[in-house]
Amino acid sequence: MRTFAFLEAPRFGEGVVAEKILESPFSKEIRICMDKGNIMREHAAPGPITVMVLEGCVTVTSGSDTADLLRGQIVCFDAHVPHSLEARTDSVVRLTLSKNDALARVIDLTKA
């Protein structure tokens, strides 16, 4: 058994930082640290995803729907559904991707 910590040593002051915390036989668990005001532009994943706020507040937008997710709240998207994220405060987000999705795709979204 191995344990992992999403909230250990978050990386703030660097914009948006995405890093793989663990990979299981069926998913990739990604930690995204977002400084207040940072945006992950509109994008869509090739498979279903879940986004959970572990710390802070993140505005999630998909089409005409917008929600402010607070600590402990989660949202899911089917494959190919466009969405964006904006950090209202310094925030730590847990992103669950399909095993077949690429961390490089997520990291590309963190670049301004």
XYZ file of all heavy atoms in Angstrom:
850
model
N 0.846 -1.177 0.000
C 0.000 0.000 0.000
C 0.892 1.241 0.000
O 1.870 1.297 0.722
C -0.886 0.000 1.247
C -1.691 1.259 1.366
S -2.924 1.286 2.695
C -1.935 1.022 4.132
N 0.498 2.192 -0.834
C 1.184 3.485 -0.887
C 0.179 4.574 -0.627
O -0.973 4.470 -1.067
C 1.768 3.687 -2.285
C 3.268 3.701 -2.288
C 3.820 3.890 -3.660
N 4.257 5.280 -3.780
C 4.588 5.838 -4.913
N 4.517 5.175 -6.031
N 4.975 7.079 -4.943
N 0.563 5.616 0.065
C -0.336 6.743 0.291
C 0.168 7.962 -0.475
O 1.368 8.075 -0.765
C -0.455 7.085 1.792
O 0.830 7.465 2.265
C -0.987 5.889 2.573
N -0.747 8.856 -0.791
C -0.435 10.061 -1.561
C -1.113 11.247 -0.888
O -2.185 11.095 -0.306
C -0.939 9.918 -2.999
C -0.355 8.735 -3.708
C -0.959 7.489 -3.621
C 0.800 8.858 -4.451
C -0.430 6.385 -4.267
C 1.351 7.757 -5.096
C 0.730 6.528 -5.000
N -0.524 12.428 -0.994
C -1.060 13.618 -0.335
C -1.231 14.752 -1.346
O -0.250 15.288 -1.851
C -0.156 14.057 0.795
N -2.472 15.092 -1.631
C -2.748 16.173 -2.572
C -2.416 17.541 -1.987
O -2.118 18.471 -2.723
C -4.222 16.158 -2.993
C -4.502 15.253 -4.146
C -4.750 13.913 -3.941
C -4.519 15.730 -5.443
C -5.012 13.070 -4.999
C -4.773 14.904 -6.510
C -5.021 13.563 -6.288
N -2.515 17.676 -0.667
C -2.343 18.991 -0.054
C -0.945 19.212 0.515
O -0.665 20.250 1.085
C -3.402 19.206 1.030
C -4.830 19.236 0.499
C -5.825 19.362 1.643
C -5.025 20.360 -0.506
N -0.049 18.267 0.318
C 1.321 18.418 0.793
C 2.141 19.229 -0.203
O 2.201 18.905 -1.392
C 1.962 17.041 0.960
C 3.350 17.084 1.570
C 3.880 15.684 1.805
O 3.218 14.931 2.551
O 4.920 15.350 1.202
N 2.733 20.313 0.261
C 3.629 21.164 -0.540
C 2.998 21.659 -1.841
O 3.565 21.489 -2.911
C 4.937 20.431 -0.827
N 1.817 22.306 -1.759
C 1.250 22.864 -2.993
C 2.164 23.966 -3.533
O 2.873 24.619 -2.768
C -0.100 23.426 -2.535
C 0.040 23.663 -1.085
C 1.020 22.631 -0.587
N 2.145 24.135 -4.842
C 3.053 25.085 -5.495
C 2.282 26.328 -5.930
O 1.656 26.331 -6.987
C 3.728 24.405 -6.673
C 4.674 23.309 -6.223
C 5.216 22.476 -7.337
N 5.820 23.263 -8.402
C 6.164 22.754 -9.578
N 5.971 21.475 -9.823
N 6.697 23.517 -10.498
N 2.361 27.379 -5.113
C 1.743 28.658 -5.455
C 2.819 29.661 -5.835
O 3.989 29.479 -5.530
C 0.907 29.186 -4.277
C -0.324 28.356 -4.023
C -0.393 27.535 -2.920
C -1.392 28.388 -4.904
C -1.516 26.759 -2.681
C -2.520 27.618 -4.680
C -2.581 26.806 -3.563
N 2.408 30.731 -6.524
C 3.353 31.739 -6.964
C 3.979 31.406 -8.295
O 4.891 32.084 -8.741
N 3.489 30.350 -8.939
C 4.016 29.928 -10.238
C 2.928 29.920 -11.301
O 3.072 29.289 -12.341
C 4.623 28.533 -10.116
C 5.741 28.423 -9.104
C 6.265 27.003 -8.951
O 6.420 26.314 -9.975
O 6.504 26.599 -7.801
N 1.779 30.572 -11.033
C 0.672 30.544 -11.990
C -0.169 29.301 -11.784
O -0.612 29.027 -10.685
N -0.367 28.536 -12.841
C -1.106 27.274 -12.766
C -0.099 26.138 -12.907
O 0.667 26.100 -13.866
C -2.175 27.168 -13.875
C -2.914 25.851 -13.790
C -3.153 28.341 -13.806
N -0.102 25.234 -11.938
C 0.844 24.112 -11.949
C 0.046 22.816 -11.893
O -0.735 22.606 -10.967
C 1.815 24.178 -10.751
C 2.735 22.966 -10.756
C 2.598 25.476 -10.761
N 0.224 21.964 -12.883
C -0.447 20.658 -12.929
C 0.604 19.565 -12.824
O 1.600 19.579 -13.550
C -1.234 20.502 -14.220
N 0.369 18.635 -11.893
C 1.309 17.528 -11.745
C 0.569 16.260 -11.350
O -0.406 16.300 -10.600
C 2.402 17.853 -10.731
C 1.915 18.344 -9.405
C 3.015 18.995 -8.574
O 4.197 18.657 -8.766
O 2.677 19.838 -7.735
N 1.036 15.139 -11.902
C 0.429 13.846 -11.595
C 0.815 13.440 -10.182
O 1.989 13.429 -9.832
C 0.881 12.790 -12.607
C 0.256 11.422 -12.364
C 0.578 10.450 -13.480
C 2.047 10.144 -13.517
N 2.411 9.120 -14.502
N -0.195 13.105 -9.377
C 0.039 12.636 -8.021
C 0.098 11.112 -8.007
O 0.918 10.523 -7.330
C -1.044 13.159 -7.055
C -1.032 14.690 -7.013
C -0.877 12.568 -5.661
C 0.244 15.307 -6.476
N -0.786 10.475 -8.772
C -0.743 9.018 -8.863
C -1.426 8.548 -10.129
O -2.219 9.264 -10.732
C -1.374 8.353 -7.629
C -2.888 8.396 -7.474
C -3.523 7.125 -8.011
C -3.242 8.543 -6.002
N -1.068 7.345 -10.522
C -1.689 6.701 -11.677
C -2.106 5.304 -11.254
O -1.298 4.535 -10.731
C -0.710 6.646 -12.846
C -1.338 6.150 -14.127
C -0.459 6.402 -15.336
O 0.434 7.269 -15.286
O -0.691 5.729 -16.357
N -3.374 5.011 -11.449
C -3.901 3.688 -11.106
C -4.123 2.910 -12.406
O -3.913 3.453 -13.490
C -5.220 3.842 -10.344
O -6.258 4.209 -11.223
N -4.566 1.691 -12.326
C -4.829 0.933 -13.557
C -5.936 1.528 -14.428
O -6.048 1.199 -15.592
C -5.249 -0.449 -13.036
C -4.627 -0.556 -11.688
C -4.656 0.842 -11.134
N -6.734 2.444 -13.863
C -7.863 2.983 -14.631
C -7.920 4.503 -14.694
O -8.711 5.065 -15.443
C -9.188 2.459 -14.071
C -9.337 2.685 -12.591
C -9.859 3.853 -12.102
C -8.922 1.713 -11.697
C -9.978 4.071 -10.745
C -9.046 1.915 -10.327
C -9.573 3.105 -9.851
N -7.093 5.219 -13.917
C -7.181 6.681 -13.932
C -5.838 7.326 -13.619
O -4.899 6.678 -13.161
C -8.221 7.167 -12.911
O -7.746 6.969 -11.595
N -5.789 8.641 -13.876
C -4.676 9.490 -13.466
C -5.257 10.556 -12.551
O -6.274 11.162 -12.874
C -4.013 10.149 -14.675
C -3.318 9.167 -15.571
C -2.731 9.842 -16.785
C -2.113 8.768 -17.676
N -1.946 9.213 -19.034
N -4.612 10.755 -11.405
C -5.045 11.768 -10.448
C -4.049 12.924 -10.514
O -2.852 12.737 -10.264
C -5.109 11.187 -9.039
C -6.045 9.994 -8.908
C -7.511 10.335 -9.147
O -7.919 11.495 -8.919
O -8.259 9.426 -9.550
N -4.551 14.086 -10.878
C -3.721 15.253 -11.134
C -4.015 16.317 -10.078
O -5.177 16.587 -9.765
C -4.022 15.847 -12.530
C -3.990 14.766 -13.624
C -3.109 17.026 -12.842
C -2.689 14.046 -13.780
N -2.952 16.930 -9.538
C -3.133 18.092 -8.658
C -2.870 19.338 -9.481
O -1.835 19.448 -10.140
C -2.166 18.049 -7.479
C -2.292 19.323 -6.613
C -1.429 19.286 -5.402
N -0.011 19.349 -5.773
C 0.973 19.179 -4.897
N 0.705 18.909 -3.639
N 2.216 19.242 -5.294
N -3.815 20.263 -9.425
C -3.657 21.551 -10.094
C -3.654 22.630 -9.021
O -4.626 22.769 -8.278
C -4.790 21.807 -11.109
C -4.816 20.699 -12.165
C -4.627 23.183 -11.758
C -6.002 20.768 -13.108
N -2.556 23.370 -8.931
C -2.466 24.517 -8.032
C -2.629 25.770 -8.881
O -1.914 25.952 -9.867
C -1.119 24.542 -7.315
S -0.859 23.128 -6.221
N -3.601 26.589 -8.501
C -3.897 27.810 -9.255
C -3.797 29.015 -8.330
O -4.468 29.053 -7.300
C -5.309 27.747 -9.849
C -5.556 26.589 -10.793
S -7.256 26.527 -11.409
C -7.243 27.920 -12.540
N -2.967 29.976 -8.708
C -2.927 31.236 -7.978
C -4.220 31.999 -8.244
O -4.827 31.868 -9.322
C -1.757 32.102 -8.454
C -0.398 31.508 -8.127
O -0.296 30.765 -7.136
O 0.555 31.805 -8.874
N -4.642 32.799 -7.280
C -5.832 33.618 -7.435
C -5.772 34.387 -8.756
O -4.751 34.986 -9.093
C -5.930 34.618 -6.269
C -7.106 35.546 -6.368
C -7.135 36.521 -5.210
C -8.303 37.478 -5.376
N -8.376 38.423 -4.244
N -6.866 34.324 -9.517
C -6.970 35.041 -10.786
C -6.502 34.254 -12.000
O -6.765 34.664 -13.130
N -5.821 33.142 -11.797
C -5.363 32.349 -12.935
C -6.522 31.620 -13.600
O -7.498 31.243 -12.948
C -4.304 31.336 -12.533
C -2.952 31.969 -12.307
O -2.252 31.587 -11.398
N -2.576 32.944 -13.100
N -6.396 31.433 -14.900
C -7.454 30.816 -15.708
C -6.881 29.646 -16.497
O -5.775 29.735 -17.035
C -8.054 31.844 -16.691
C -8.753 32.959 -15.912
C -9.005 31.185 -17.685
C -9.200 34.128 -16.776
N -7.645 28.569 -16.542
C -7.384 27.506 -17.520
C -8.421 27.715 -18.608
O -9.625 27.545 -18.387
C -7.510 26.131 -16.881
C -6.391 25.829 -15.895
S -6.472 24.174 -15.192
C -5.978 23.180 -16.606
N -7.950 28.134 -19.763
C -8.838 28.503 -20.866
C -9.775 27.355 -21.237
O -9.547 26.204 -20.874
C -8.018 28.944 -22.062
C -7.194 27.835 -22.674
C -6.305 28.358 -23.799
N -5.545 27.309 -24.431
C -4.406 26.812 -23.971
N -3.883 27.265 -22.858
N -3.783 25.845 -24.617
N -10.808 27.699 -21.995
C -11.789 26.689 -22.393
C -11.102 25.546 -23.143
O -10.259 25.771 -24.003
C -12.880 27.311 -23.262
C -13.986 26.317 -23.572
C -15.139 26.933 -24.331
O -14.952 27.196 -25.549
O -16.189 27.130 -23.722
N -11.498 24.351 -22.779
C -10.929 23.141 -23.370
C -11.922 22.004 -23.160
O -12.918 22.162 -22.458
C -9.587 22.806 -22.708
C -9.695 22.592 -21.237
N -9.775 23.650 -20.338
C -9.765 21.463 -20.493
C -9.887 23.162 -19.109
N -9.881 21.839 -19.169
N -11.656 20.875 -23.749
C -12.474 19.672 -23.567
C -11.544 18.479 -23.469
O -10.498 18.436 -24.123
C -13.446 19.498 -24.729
N -11.917 17.534 -22.653
C -11.112 16.318 -22.476
C -11.618 15.223 -23.406
O -12.811 15.175 -23.719
C -11.189 15.851 -21.026
N -10.738 14.333 -23.835
C -11.154 13.252 -24.732
C -11.988 12.173 -24.048
O -12.627 11.375 -24.708
C -9.835 12.684 -25.247
C -8.835 13.035 -24.199
C -9.299 14.326 -23.604
N -11.980 12.171 -22.715
C -12.777 11.208 -21.944
C -13.450 11.915 -20.789
O -13.211 13.100 -20.544
N -14.299 11.230 -20.052
C -14.947 11.851 -18.897
C -13.921 12.237 -17.826
O -12.885 11.583 -17.689
C -15.881 10.763 -18.357
C -15.725 9.576 -19.223
C -14.675 9.839 -20.236
N -14.208 13.316 -17.089
C -13.333 13.793 -16.022
C -14.158 14.188 -14.808
O -15.365 14.412 -14.918
C -12.476 15.001 -16.456
C -13.375 16.212 -16.764
C -11.583 14.659 -17.627
C -12.617 17.522 -16.859
N -13.472 14.281 -13.653
C -14.065 14.918 -12.483
C -13.089 15.982 -11.997
O -11.863 15.834 -12.118
C -14.358 13.932 -11.334
O -13.144 13.325 -10.923
C -15.353 12.878 -11.753
N -13.650 17.071 -11.482
C -12.883 18.181 -10.952
C -13.385 18.425 -9.532
O -14.577 18.677 -9.335
C -13.072 19.454 -11.810
C -12.343 20.640 -11.202
C -12.642 19.213 -13.248
N -12.485 18.346 -8.544
C -12.862 18.548 -7.149
C -11.958 19.602 -6.526
O -10.733 19.516 -6.643
C -12.725 17.253 -6.362
C -13.089 17.382 -4.915
S -12.932 15.781 -4.075
C -13.662 16.192 -2.503
N -12.556 20.582 -5.874
C -11.788 21.611 -5.192
C -11.412 21.090 -3.805
O -12.281 20.733 -3.012
C -12.576 22.933 -5.104
C -11.811 23.951 -4.279
C -12.855 23.479 -6.496
N -10.116 21.039 -3.534
C -9.623 20.591 -2.232
C -9.379 21.769 -1.299
O -9.540 21.650 -0.091
C -8.341 19.788 -2.396
C -8.463 18.520 -3.250
C -7.107 17.863 -3.421
C -9.462 17.557 -2.644
N -8.976 22.889 -1.851
C -8.761 24.130 -1.106
C -9.099 25.293 -2.018
O -8.806 25.250 -3.210
C -7.309 24.273 -0.647
C -6.857 23.283 0.389
C -7.468 23.537 1.770
O -7.968 24.648 2.036
O -7.442 22.602 2.577
N -9.718 26.340 -1.462
C -9.968 27.550 -2.224
C -11.342 27.590 -2.870
O -12.283 26.934 -2.421
N -11.431 28.362 -3.942
C -12.675 28.544 -4.696
C -12.330 28.708 -6.170
O -11.473 29.522 -6.531
C -13.420 29.778 -4.196
S -14.938 30.146 -5.124
N -13.000 27.933 -7.010
C -12.758 27.954 -8.450
C -14.092 28.114 -9.175
O -15.045 27.398 -8.878
C -12.066 26.638 -8.908
C -11.915 26.603 -10.414
C -10.714 26.483 -8.226
N -14.144 29.054 -10.105
C -15.321 29.201 -10.951
C -15.153 28.294 -12.160
O -14.150 28.376 -12.870
C -15.508 30.658 -11.417
O -15.687 31.483 -10.261
C -16.713 30.800 -12.325
N -16.131 27.426 -12.358
C -16.129 26.515 -13.499
C -17.236 26.963 -14.440
O -18.373 27.183 -14.018
C -16.368 25.058 -13.046
C -16.402 24.125 -14.238
C -15.305 24.626 -12.056
N -16.902 27.103 -15.714
C -17.868 27.529 -16.725
C -17.924 26.495 -17.826
O -16.894 26.003 -18.287
C -17.470 28.901 -17.309
O -17.388 29.847 -16.236
C -18.480 29.372 -18.343
N -19.137 26.169 -18.230
C -19.368 25.263 -19.359
C -20.582 25.791 -20.106
O -21.699 25.767 -19.577
C -19.604 23.838 -18.871
O -19.821 22.970 -19.975
N -20.343 26.284 -21.320
C -21.438 26.901 -22.073
C -21.970 28.103 -21.309
O -21.207 28.963 -20.888
N -23.271 28.134 -21.069
C -23.875 29.245 -20.324
C -23.978 28.954 -18.831
O -24.469 29.783 -18.063
C -25.269 29.559 -20.886
O -26.115 28.436 -20.737
N -23.509 27.787 -18.383
C -23.551 27.419 -16.969
C -22.257 27.825 -16.266
O -21.166 27.600 -16.785
C -23.740 25.908 -16.796
C -25.093 25.422 -17.284
O -26.058 26.213 -17.223
O -25.176 24.264 -17.714
N -22.407 28.407 -15.080
C -21.263 28.798 -14.264
C -21.532 28.397 -12.824
O -22.652 28.564 -12.333
C -21.029 30.323 -14.342
O -20.747 30.679 -15.686
C -19.854 30.750 -13.482
N -20.507 27.865 -12.156
C -20.642 27.503 -10.745
C -19.348 27.827 -10.021
O -18.257 27.589 -10.545
C -20.956 26.016 -10.599
N -19.480 28.397 -8.816
C -18.331 28.590 -7.943
C -18.221 27.348 -7.074
O -19.090 27.077 -6.251
C -18.513 29.827 -7.064
C -18.341 31.118 -7.836
O -17.615 31.113 -8.850
O -18.932 32.131 -7.431
N -17.161 26.578 -7.279
C -16.928 25.378 -6.480
C -16.061 25.739 -5.287
O -14.992 26.332 -5.442
C -16.231 24.295 -7.302
C -16.979 23.732 -8.499
C -16.156 22.620 -9.143
C -18.351 23.237 -8.121
N -16.534 25.372 -4.123
C -15.811 25.596 -2.879
C -15.188 24.296 -2.410
O -15.469 23.218 -2.960
C -16.762 26.140 -1.818
C -17.457 27.454 -2.169
C -18.519 27.783 -1.144
C -16.442 28.580 -2.298
N -14.387 24.387 -1.370
C -13.710 23.223 -0.796
C -14.674 22.046 -0.638
O -15.750 22.177 -0.060
C -13.142 23.606 0.551
C -12.400 22.516 1.226
C -11.840 23.011 2.528
N -11.067 21.946 3.132
C -10.824 21.875 4.411
N -11.284 22.794 5.226
N -10.117 20.883 4.884
N -14.284 20.902 -1.210
C -15.076 19.682 -1.087
C -16.118 19.491 -2.173
O -16.714 18.425 -2.263
N -16.332 20.500 -3.012
C -17.328 20.348 -4.078
C -16.685 19.778 -5.331
O -15.500 19.978 -5.599
C -18.006 21.687 -4.374
C -18.872 22.151 -3.217
C -19.610 23.434 -3.536
O -19.011 24.428 -3.930
N -20.925 23.407 -3.355
N -17.496 19.065 -6.108
C -17.001 18.321 -7.265
C -17.971 18.488 -8.428
O -19.177 18.664 -8.233
C -16.818 16.831 -6.879
C -16.067 16.059 -7.951
C -18.137 16.180 -6.534
C -15.614 14.672 -7.476
N -17.434 18.449 -9.631
C -18.238 18.484 -10.844
C -17.650 17.465 -11.812
O -16.454 17.166 -11.759
C -18.259 19.909 -11.468
C -16.891 20.330 -11.955
C -19.286 20.005 -12.591
N -18.488 16.908 -12.663
C -17.978 15.975 -13.671
C -18.424 16.429 -15.049
O -19.442 17.112 -15.207
C -18.430 14.546 -13.379
S -20.196 14.315 -13.361
N -17.634 16.064 -16.032
C -17.927 16.377 -17.424
C -17.774 15.119 -18.256
O -16.836 14.342 -18.047
C -16.969 17.451 -17.974
C -17.157 18.804 -17.361
C -16.277 19.280 -16.399
C -18.221 19.614 -17.734
C -16.446 20.522 -15.825
C -18.407 20.855 -17.171
C -17.509 21.312 -16.217
N -18.677 14.951 -19.186
C -18.533 13.886 -20.170
C -17.423 14.259 -21.144
O -16.994 15.424 -21.204
C -19.847 13.677 -20.939
C -20.918 13.036 -20.076
O -20.578 12.265 -19.157
O -22.110 13.315 -20.336
N -16.992 13.320 -21.932
C -15.978 13.574 -22.953
C -16.434 14.679 -23.894
O -17.624 14.798 -24.200
C -15.717 12.293 -23.742
N -15.496 15.494 -24.314
C -15.678 16.520 -25.345
C -16.593 17.667 -24.928
O -17.068 18.405 -25.793
C -16.173 15.893 -26.656
C -15.369 14.712 -27.088
N -14.059 14.814 -27.484
C -15.671 13.394 -27.125
C -13.595 13.607 -27.772
N -14.546 12.731 -27.556
N -16.845 17.855 -23.625
C -17.662 18.979 -23.155
C -16.731 20.149 -22.825
O -15.897 20.044 -21.927
C -18.494 18.599 -21.911
C -19.212 19.810 -21.352
C -19.484 17.494 -22.260
N -16.854 21.264 -23.543
C -15.990 22.421 -23.288
C -16.253 23.015 -21.903
O -17.400 23.125 -21.471
C -16.373 23.420 -24.379
C -17.078 22.620 -25.421
C -17.736 21.483 -24.694
N -15.172 23.413 -21.227
C -15.279 24.023 -19.906
C -13.996 24.811 -19.631
O -12.979 24.613 -20.286
C -15.487 22.958 -18.817
C -14.405 21.936 -18.779
N -14.362 20.864 -19.657
C -13.308 21.826 -17.993
C -13.284 20.144 -19.405
N -12.620 20.706 -18.403
N -14.074 25.721 -18.664
C -12.909 26.499 -18.240
C -12.945 26.641 -16.730
O -13.984 26.418 -16.095
C -12.895 27.880 -18.908
O -14.033 28.628 -18.500
N -11.790 27.008 -16.152
C -11.673 27.198 -14.704
C -10.979 28.521 -14.432
O -10.048 28.895 -15.149
C -10.829 26.093 -14.066
C -11.427 24.699 -13.935
C -11.376 23.968 -15.249
C -10.700 23.930 -12.872
N -11.449 29.217 -13.386
C -10.797 30.442 -12.927
C -10.703 30.395 -11.411
O -11.711 30.180 -10.729
C -11.565 31.678 -13.357
C -10.910 32.962 -12.904
C -11.610 34.221 -13.389
O -12.571 34.124 -14.152
O -11.168 35.306 -12.983
N -9.501 30.607 -10.883
C -9.288 30.583 -9.435
C -9.731 31.903 -8.825
O -9.219 32.961 -9.184
C -7.821 30.319 -9.123
N -10.668 31.846 -7.895
C -11.128 33.037 -7.166
C -10.213 33.328 -5.982
O -10.108 34.460 -5.530
C -12.561 32.853 -6.686
C -13.559 32.726 -7.795
C -13.604 34.004 -8.591
N -14.522 33.886 -9.710
C -14.609 34.772 -10.673
N -13.820 35.831 -10.661
N -15.459 34.607 -11.652
N -9.571 32.278 -5.475
C -8.563 32.373 -4.417
C -7.452 31.406 -4.809
O -7.618 30.614 -5.738
C -9.140 31.951 -3.043
O -9.502 30.562 -3.105
C -10.360 32.779 -2.657
N -6.331 31.443 -4.109
C -5.331 30.390 -4.320
C -6.044 29.061 -4.076
O -6.699 28.890 -3.044
C -4.165 30.534 -3.356
C -3.257 31.711 -3.692
O -3.455 32.355 -4.738
O -2.344 31.986 -2.887
N -5.966 28.148 -5.028
C -6.782 26.933 -4.977
C -5.993 25.692 -5.350
O -5.078 25.746 -6.185
C -7.973 27.065 -5.940
O -8.783 28.165 -5.591
N -6.380 24.579 -4.733
C -5.840 23.264 -5.078
C -7.002 22.433 -5.583
O -8.021 22.288 -4.910
C -5.182 22.568 -3.868
C -4.668 21.187 -4.267
C -4.051 23.429 -3.300
N -6.841 21.895 -6.785
C -7.900 21.151 -7.464
C -7.407 19.739 -7.747
O -6.260 19.539 -8.160
C -8.276 21.854 -8.793
C -9.273 21.048 -9.583
C -8.810 23.252 -8.509
N -8.279 18.777 -7.533
C -8.001 17.386 -7.901
C -8.730 17.105 -9.208
O -9.943 17.256 -9.307
C -8.498 16.439 -6.822
C -8.337 14.983 -7.198
C -8.902 14.101 -6.120
N -8.880 12.706 -6.542
C -9.340 11.718 -5.792
N -9.847 11.955 -4.603
N -9.298 10.486 -6.244
N -7.983 16.689 -10.209
C -8.535 16.341 -11.513
C -8.345 14.851 -11.728
O -7.222 14.344 -11.620
C -7.813 17.122 -12.615
C -8.085 16.716 -14.058
C -9.552 16.958 -14.421
C -7.162 17.467 -15.002
N -9.430 14.149 -12.015
C -9.349 12.729 -12.321
C -9.561 12.546 -13.815
O -10.588 12.958 -14.360
C -10.399 11.927 -11.535
O -10.199 12.157 -10.139
C -10.287 10.440 -11.826
N -8.574 11.962 -14.461
C -8.591 11.716 -15.903
C -8.668 10.223 -16.173
O -8.223 9.407 -15.366
C -7.287 12.197 -16.550
C -6.881 13.644 -16.431
C -5.493 13.820 -17.039
C -7.887 14.530 -17.118
N -9.128 9.893 -17.355
C -9.054 8.522 -17.833
C -7.587 8.119 -17.955
O -6.718 8.951 -18.247
C -9.730 8.432 -19.202
O -9.340 7.262 -19.876
N -7.307 6.868 -17.751
C -5.955 6.322 -17.900
C -5.375 6.662 -19.277
O -4.177 6.881 -19.421
C -6.018 4.806 -17.701
C -4.739 4.085 -17.958
C -3.828 4.168 -16.795
C -2.677 3.203 -16.977
N -1.745 3.295 -15.908
N -6.236 6.748 -20.292
C -5.778 6.986 -21.659
C -5.522 8.455 -21.970
O -4.987 8.776 -23.022
C -6.791 6.424 -22.653
C -6.956 4.929 -22.495
O -5.988 4.218 -22.233
N -8.177 4.452 -22.612
N -5.917 9.362 -21.077
C -5.690 10.786 -21.283
C -4.247 11.115 -20.915
O -3.597 10.382 -20.162
C -6.665 11.601 -20.432
C -6.898 13.009 -20.953
O -6.122 13.475 -21.810
O -7.867 13.638 -20.491
N -3.746 12.231 -21.431
C -2.338 12.582 -21.230
C -2.167 13.776 -20.300
O -2.844 14.795 -20.468
C -1.692 12.892 -22.571
N -1.262 13.658 -19.338
C -0.922 14.775 -18.474
C -0.400 15.945 -19.310
O -0.686 17.105 -19.008
C 0.121 14.354 -17.439
C 0.676 15.464 -16.541
C -0.438 16.115 -15.726
C 1.771 14.919 -15.643
N 0.318 15.669 -20.381
C 0.865 16.725 -21.240
C -0.242 17.623 -21.785
O -0.048 18.833 -21.926
C 1.666 16.107 -22.385
N -1.405 17.057 -22.058
C -2.532 17.864 -22.547
C -2.956 18.868 -21.484
O -3.202 20.042 -21.766
C -3.715 16.965 -22.928
C -4.929 17.727 -23.455
C -6.126 16.809 -23.634
N -6.603 16.243 -22.384
C -7.341 16.921 -21.483
N -7.654 18.184 -21.692
N -7.738 16.335 -20.375
N -2.999 18.426 -20.241
C -3.396 19.302 -19.134
C -2.330 20.377 -18.906
O -2.647 21.551 -18.737
C -3.643 18.487 -17.856
C -3.984 19.400 -16.683
C -4.739 17.453 -18.081
N -1.079 19.980 -18.912
C 0.013 20.938 -18.707
C -0.019 22.008 -19.796
O 0.203 23.197 -19.518
C 1.372 20.223 -18.653
C 1.448 19.411 -17.343
C 2.534 21.198 -18.759
C 2.645 18.509 -17.231
N -0.332 21.640 -21.015
C -0.415 22.616 -22.101
C -1.467 23.675 -21.806
O -1.306 24.838 -22.176
C -0.710 21.911 -23.426
C -0.644 22.874 -24.604
O 0.391 23.553 -24.753
O -1.644 22.949 -25.346
N -2.533 23.291 -21.122
C -3.596 24.253 -20.787
C -3.165 25.251 -19.723
O -3.800 26.287 -19.553
C -4.830 23.507 -20.284
C -5.524 22.612 -21.298
C -6.535 21.713 -20.596
C -6.180 23.445 -22.378
N -2.094 24.957 -19.002
C -1.644 25.840 -17.938
C -0.766 26.974 -18.471
O -0.451 27.907 -17.741
C -0.852 25.073 -16.863
O 0.386 24.607 -17.412
C -1.664 23.908 -16.315
N -0.382 26.889 -19.723
C 0.495 27.910 -20.315
C -0.355 29.070 -20.813
O -1.385 28.885 -21.432
C 1.302 27.297 -21.452
C 2.206 26.182 -20.968
C 2.904 25.503 -22.099
C 3.745 24.351 -21.553
N 4.250 23.509 -22.607
N 0.124 30.281 -20.517
C -0.610 31.491 -20.899
C -0.532 31.741 -22.391
O 0.273 31.274 -23.102
C -0.063 32.687 -20.150
